[in-house]
Amino acid sequence: MISSSTSPHAGSTQKFALEINSAHKSFGQVDVLKGVNLKLDTGERVALMGPSGSGKSTLLNCICGIEPMDQGEIKLGGVSLNDISAKDLEQIRRQSIGYVFQSFHLLPTLSAFENIEFPAQLLDIPKKERLDRVEQLLDAIGLSQRAHHKPDALSGGECQRVAIARALIHRPNLILADEPTGSLDTDSGGQVLTLLEDLSNEFKVALLLVTHDQASTRICNRVISMKDGSLV
Ligand code: ADP
Ligand code: MG
């Protein structure tokens, strides 16, 4: 099948959810990323390990645009972010990536339902579609009964499940997760990992999982390590 010519990705390779070529990033005199190369297939789950301070979070921040890269190329769904306007760049990042933080970063004044819905509002997804997706995700994370609770009425594990649903509401093809179980006890952490694995399979979404914990790599197809500013 030939894909529609109206697709924003028309003419580009669709194979990799993420492709990083020769990424460089320094903070002052400190070279943190020294030529990072990485490819994630559609739906592939990769664990990124390495000592504290080795640049794992910096790499994730460069992928999602929180930090600018100094040199190199990032492609999302085959589209090089170097070749497009600032407006398209913002749009492609927003659509392609879901981000999960160690400390959840839920909005405290919004309910679980509203937290999950919020990014879909920013992307102008029509209301009916939005509400259907939130219901579906609440069901998938097992929190339909707690939809109207605010984060302070939820446990850490429940908050992270909400954050994962929020990261998926706009149907990204890549989830970046920075130590998502780092603030959780072993049981809740295990549930969060299993959820990430199940949802990655269900939605065919690739996962780049930063973790300290060898046990977390069980849900991943591949494990890589950051060493001296590059991946091994
Ligand atoms: P990791 O996530 O692997 O623990 P980080 O990516 O957070 O590592 O940090 C890598 C290095 O970059 C560290 O030496 C850290 O101090 C430095 N660093 C990270 N962010 C900044 C920043 N915004 N300004 C200056 N230095 C930074
Ligand atoms: Mg970090």
Side-chain angles (χ1 to χ4, degrees):
M1 260 314 273
I2 306 295
S3 66
S4 156
S5 60
T6 57
S7 157
H9 303 308
S12 59
T13 161
Q14 285 278 348
K15 183 168 167 47
F16 296 108
L18 170 68
E19 190 174 343
I20 302 174
N21 296 312
S22 201
H24 288 260
K25 174 74 184 172
S26 305
F27 291 108
Q29 306 284 25
V30 185
D31 295 329
V32 178
L33 306 178
K34 297 188 229 170
V36 170
N37 296 297
L38 177 63
K39 287 179 181 163
L40 260 69
D41 268 321
T42 303
E44 187 184 22
R45 290 185 294 276
V46 172
L48 172 56
M49 302 192 76
S52 185
S54 61
K56 304 179 300 295
S57 296
T58 301
L59 181 64
L60 262 52
N61 290 342
C62 287
I63 297 167
C64 73
I66 294 174
E67 290 285 355
M69 270 195 318
D70 298 335
Q71 263 182 64
E73 180 185 44
I74 291 175
K75 291 185 184 178
L76 293 173
V79 179
S80 171
L81 303 187
N82 289 358
D83 301 341
I84 55 179
S85 69
K87 183 164 164 276
D88 288 347
L89 174 63
E90 169 75 20
Q91 179 77 356
I92 285 190
R93 277 198 165 116
R94 258 199 201 165
Q95 274 173 0
S96 314
I97 298 176
Y99 207 117
V100 179
F101 302 88
Q102 176 172 343
S103 49
F104 328 133
H105 289 201
L106 297 177
L107 294 169
T109 57
L110 300 186
S111 67
F113 191 108
E114 292 161 340
N115 266 286
I116 298 170
E117 184 188 10
F118 187 59
Q121 283 175 312
L122 294 181
L123 283 168
D124 287 331
I125 295 172
K127 186 162 184 192
K128 166 83 171 70
E129 170 71 19
R130 229 162 57 209
L131 301 188
D132 286 350
R133 288 190 195 185
V134 178
E135 300 283 1
Q136 183 198 10
L137 282 163
L138 277 165
D139 184 45
I141 65 172
L143 290 178
S144 299
Q145 303 307 314
R146 324 210 82 195
H148 301 293
H149 292 249
K150 291 191 177 146
D152 66 1
L154 299 171
S155 70
E158 288 169 340
C159 284
Q160 194 61 300
R161 279 146 62 194
V162 171
I164 290 168
R166 177 183 59 181
L168 285 166
I169 185 77
H170 57 295
R171 308 264 161 91
N173 51 22
L174 174 66
I175 296 280
L176 303 174
D178 199 349
E179 312 211 23
T181 61
S183 310
L184 304 177
D185 62 57
T186 311
D187 282 355
S188 330
Q191 285 174 14
V192 159
L193 288 170
T194 301
L195 182 67
L196 278 170
E197 180 180 28
D198 291 348
L199 293 177
S200 149
N201 285 330
E202 185 177 342
F203 291 100
K204 301 263 177 299
V205 58
L207 172 68
L208 184 54
L209 171 71
V210 171
T211 179
H212 271 115
D213 170 24
Q214 191 70 43
S216 301
T217 64
R218 70 173 165 84
I219 66 159
C220 292
N221 311 106
R222 195 150 58 95
V223 180
I224 54 178
S225 280
M226 186 81 91
K227 189 159 180 255
D228 295 330
S230 20
L231 297 178
V232 290

